[in-house]
Amino acid sequence: MTYVVTEACIKCKYMDCVEVCPVDCFYVGENMLVIHPDECIDCGVCEPECPVDAILPDTEPGMERWLELNREYSATWPNITRKGEPPADADAHKGEAGKFEKYFSAEPGKD
Ligand code: SF4
Ligand code: SF4
């Protein structure tokens, strides 16, 4: 089992999660973060830190797609361990539907 970052993170990227992870297994894309499934120790500490409930255990229904996405991009995006500046329009995208189709970017972000 691992925890995974899901669609709600896209364009939000508040990054409260990276500060608490004991094994630094978050990786950053242009507009979302992912968790490396093989590095996550399933401690669950990050889950309640996310203000938009984007982090879920992969045991929840419908997580296969997100697990694959976390696995794929954690292999290429840079590691991130410190909270940065969230995007200025982060609050405007909170709770928005269909963010993956509208905004997902495979480009790496900056740590
Ligand atoms: S706290 Fe939540 S929304 Fe923010 S970067 Fe982490 S997973 Fe994404
Ligand atoms: S569950 Fe624990 S180890 Fe896994 S990403 Fe969250 S804080 Fe890190």
Side-chain angles (χ1 to χ4, degrees):
M1 173 201 156
T2 177
Y3 280 76
V4 294
V5 182
T6 63
E7 186 167 21
C9 179
I10 295 173
K11 285 268 192 186
C12 290
K13 236 171 88 174
Y14 293 103
M15 294 174 276
D16 296 283
C17 53
V18 300
E19 295 272 340
V20 300
C21 180
V23 293
D24 296 338
C25 64
F26 281 91
Y27 293 79
V28 60
E30 190 178 11
N31 58 23
M32 90 176 276
L33 302 195
V34 290
I35 291 169
H36 194 306
D38 299 331
E39 295 176 0
C40 174
I41 57 168
D42 311 330
C43 69
V45 170
C46 58
E47 186 183 15
E49 294 297 322
C50 177
V52 293
D53 298 330
I55 303 173
L56 295 166
D58 71 347
T59 46
E60 296 271 319
M63 284 299 116
E64 293 82 4
R65 171 190 179 193
W66 299 108
L67 176 60
E68 276 318 300
L69 184 137
N70 279 244
R71 185 177 295 286
E72 181 178 351
Y73 291 102
S74 61
T76 56
W77 288 350
N79 186 242
I80 183 165
T81 57
R82 267 174 296 169
K83 185 171 173 165
E85 258 321 285
D89 60 353
D91 279 342
H93 295 287
K94 213 170 181 174
E96 185 178 335
K99 290 201 284 186
F100 183 82
E101 284 70 21
K102 285 190 261 187
Y103 311 121
F104 177 75
S105 164
E107 293 300 312
K110 292 192 189 73
D111 61 9

